[in-house]
Amino acid sequence: AMASLVGHGIALNSILLAKSRLEEEMNAVVAVVSHDLKRAGYYALTNEMVKNPSTSTNPFDGNLSIGSYVNEHADSCINFAYDRNKNGLFDTSPKHEKYWFRLRERAVEIRMNGALCDQSGWHDLTDPKVIHVTVFKFTIEQLTALQITQTHINLELQARLKKHPEISRSISTSVLIEN
């Protein structure tokens, strides 16, 4: 009876640890993606745009788009740009100010320095040996109130544990693009 109780406790503890790992991985992905997306369109020289609205433009406007990697779900890759070094220029060399997140082979990946959705050089944000991401989807929603348009990026993330495929989780969130 005691051996059965200990065995049950160990199995229960293993499942709780696995659920915790899935929760941790998914929350980390949502935190990283949301944090970076909030920067989309940031331009360090906005004071110039206020002073001279007819002659000054934001080079980071219009750099938000959604696509997908070949053979992946539609809307599973997002790219955007922001003025990371705060110089007011859209730099492409040596450091590129264009950023991407995508789904590829059941893993969420990040790419910096301007590579496209279908190019190499990406890094895993999730560990495909531990979790399989089944959905990583973006939608752009624009809301206008009092002649002010706000852009929201809706993110849907679903994943399951590789060793325990019956354990899965889903997160949906909306990120306000503040710039």
Side-chain angles (χ1 to χ4, degrees):
M2 184 60 105
S4 174
L5 182 62
V6 169
H8 178 72
I10 290 172
L12 183 61
N13 188 42
S14 174
I15 289 173
L16 288 174
L17 285 173
K19 284 182 179 180
S20 177
R21 176 72 190 267
L22 177 62
E23 183 86 19
E24 182 180 305
E25 287 265 343
M26 291 186 66
N27 287 338
V29 167
V30 169
V32 167
V33 172
S34 296
H35 186 265
D36 266 9
L37 278 174
K38 287 178 184 177
R39 299 177 184 177
Y42 168 74
Y43 179 49
L45 303 180
T46 53
N47 59 339
E48 291 298 318
M49 291 176 62
V50 171
K51 289 178 190 174
N52 303 308
S54 61
T55 59
S56 183
T57 60
N58 180 349
F60 298 92
D61 275 349
N63 282 294
L64 177 65
S65 65
I66 296 174
S68 64
Y69 185 75
V70 178
N71 296 325
E72 292 292 350
H73 297 288
D75 304 329
S76 61
C77 181
I78 190 166
N79 82 60
F80 55 96
Y82 62 89
D83 196 1
R84 185 180 188 116
N85 61 7
K86 301 177 183 175
N87 69 354
L89 303 172
F90 189 169
D91 297 321
T92 57
S93 179
K95 295 288 184 182
H96 206 291
E97 293 178 319
K98 196 159 193 125
Y99 305 92
W100 301 74
F101 292 99
R102 76 175 180 192
L103 176 65
R104 181 166 183 232
E105 296 176 357
R106 299 183 181 158
V108 173
E109 298 180 326
I110 185 172
R111 177 69 171 139
M112 299 189 300
N113 297 329
L116 302 176
C117 275
D118 58 353
Q119 292 179 321
S120 61
W122 292 70
H123 304 283
D124 286 343
L125 277 181
T126 57
D127 186 350
K129 295 176 188 166
V130 177
I131 70 169
H132 284 173
V133 177
T134 54
V135 175
F136 187 61
K137 182 178 181 179
F138 298 94
T139 55
I140 298 174
E141 183 179 6
Q142 292 191 322
L143 306 170
T144 303
L146 302 172
Q147 298 180 344
I148 298 173
T149 301
Q150 291 184 330
T151 301
H152 293 261
I153 304 297
N154 299 314
L155 167 61
E156 183 181 349
L157 176 64
Q158 294 177 13
R160 61 181 171 79
L161 290 170
K162 184 177 179 182
K163 289 184 180 177
H164 301 279
E166 71 281 2
I167 300 174
S168 64
R169 182 147 191 292
S170 178
I171 296 176
S172 293
T173 190
S174 180
V175 178
L176 172 64
I177 305 300
E178 299 174 1
N179 299 298

